[in-house]
Amino acid sequence: RTQRRSSKRLRRTTAKEDVIHAHYNLRDQTEMALQEVADMAISKTPRPLNVTKLRQILHNYGPILNIDQRSAIGGTFLVDCCRARCVKEVVILNCVKELIEHFGASPHVPAMEGASHQKNKKHNMLPPLVVAAARGMPNVVWYLFQRKGGDALLHAKGTSRFRLYSSPKKSVSGTYTPIEFATKIKEAEVVDGATNKDLKDLNTCIHILRDAMLKRKKKKHKSK
């Protein structure tokens, strides 16, 4: 049992106090780790996200973290990794795998968009699969919906804004499912002059999601 100073005397803490202290410590350590990962995800230089740095952060603030906790501004480890800038898809995929396979992160836990994450929760959610689809990352999309219960993610809507690849000053925003967001962005890219070559990865995401939804529909029809 730990001891703390109170009124110039040492006293033993109760079991309840120890549990409360441990809870707050876990929350605070996780929040600091979330902030570091978020900062790294949006950084261009000199510290872009990679799996080695992600692993170091999680171990430095660990060994135990609430891996699905949302940060004070609504982000999660998985979603922030999926949103990472200036890194290749393979780096994001490795980070996603690390979080899910080694730390037990759930792809079913959405982030809450922006400072409004405490209001209108139903419509401000942002699942990692929506981010991966909207950003045109087919390998991440495939990996996420292949997880246990992944079929449910196909219809989980997310609210956010994503910049166009062909014109970063333009964006698409709204509340859509993964395939709806990817399709909306493709349409905006085509209007802006993007070619099929430019949209290769985005088209692959749409095909993967469409095939997955068709298979799910057929499977559901057979079970009736």
Side-chain angles (χ1 to χ4, degrees):
R1 180 79 62 200
T2 58
Q3 290 185 328
R4 299 178 195 151
R5 188 173 296 277
S6 177
S7 300
K8 298 182 180 180
R9 292 183 299 173
L10 292 177
R11 69 178 180 87
R12 291 183 179 275
T13 58
T14 65
K16 181 179 179 180
E17 288 173 330
D18 287 344
V19 170
I20 292 173
H21 175 72
H23 167 74
Y24 286 143
N25 185 62
L26 175 63
R27 181 200 62 187
D28 294 344
Q29 290 295 107
T30 303
E31 176 66 25
M32 288 188 286
L34 279 163
Q35 289 178 3
E36 277 209 37
V37 171
D39 288 344
M40 192 177 294
I42 64 173
S43 174
K44 295 181 180 180
T45 55
R47 300 177 64 232
L49 179 72
N50 64 52
V51 71
T52 300
K53 292 175 182 176
L54 172 65
R55 194 179 293 131
Q56 287 174 347
I57 291 172
L58 297 177
H59 282 293
N60 287 344
Y61 288 100
I64 300 174
L65 294 173
N66 182 359
I67 206 67
D68 289 323
Q69 177 176 310
R70 295 187 183 97
S71 69
I73 59 172
T76 68
F77 287 114
L78 265 182
V79 171
D80 284 342
C81 284
C82 287
R83 301 178 84 167
R85 301 177 184 176
C86 305
V87 293
K88 295 181 179 180
E89 184 191 359
V90 66
V91 174
I92 293 176
L93 179 61
N94 288 337
C95 289
V96 168
K97 286 183 175 180
E98 180 75 12
L99 288 166
I100 292 176
E101 296 177 14
H102 297 285
F103 290 90
S106 171
H108 297 275
V109 177
M112 294 293 182
E113 267 294 81
S116 63
H117 74 277
Q118 293 180 335
K119 301 178 182 179
N120 198 15
K121 292 184 179 182
K122 182 177 179 180
H123 300 293
N124 284 312
M125 291 189 285
L126 182 61
L129 184 58
V130 169
V131 180
R135 297 194 67 198
M137 299 188 291
N139 294 307
V140 179
V141 166
W142 177 264
Y143 179 81
L144 287 172
F145 94 80
Q146 287 293 322
R147 299 307 94 201
K148 184 178 180 180
D151 283 355
L153 296 173
L154 298 173
H155 299 282
K157 292 187 176 184
T159 301
S160 192
R161 178 175 68 89
F162 295 96
R163 298 181 187 278
L164 300 188
Y165 172 82
S166 59
S167 182
K169 291 184 178 180
K170 298 180 180 179
S171 62
V172 173
S173 61
T175 301
Y176 303 108
T177 64
I179 193 169
E180 288 172 344
F181 236 132
T183 302
K184 289 285 183 182
I185 290 176
K186 177 187 175 180
E187 292 170 352
E189 293 278 15
V190 170
V191 170
D192 205 58
T195 64
N196 283 329
K197 184 178 180 180
D198 296 329
L199 301 175
K200 179 182 177 182
D201 288 341
L202 191 58
N203 282 326
T204 302
C205 287
I206 294 172
H207 291 153
I208 290 173
L209 293 166
R210 183 179 293 130
D211 288 346
M213 292 175 72
L214 286 173
K215 288 179 181 178
R216 184 174 185 268
K217 189 175 181 179
K218 289 179 180 179
K219 185 177 179 181
K220 189 175 181 180
H221 180 72
K222 286 182 180 180
S223 65
K224 290 184 178 180

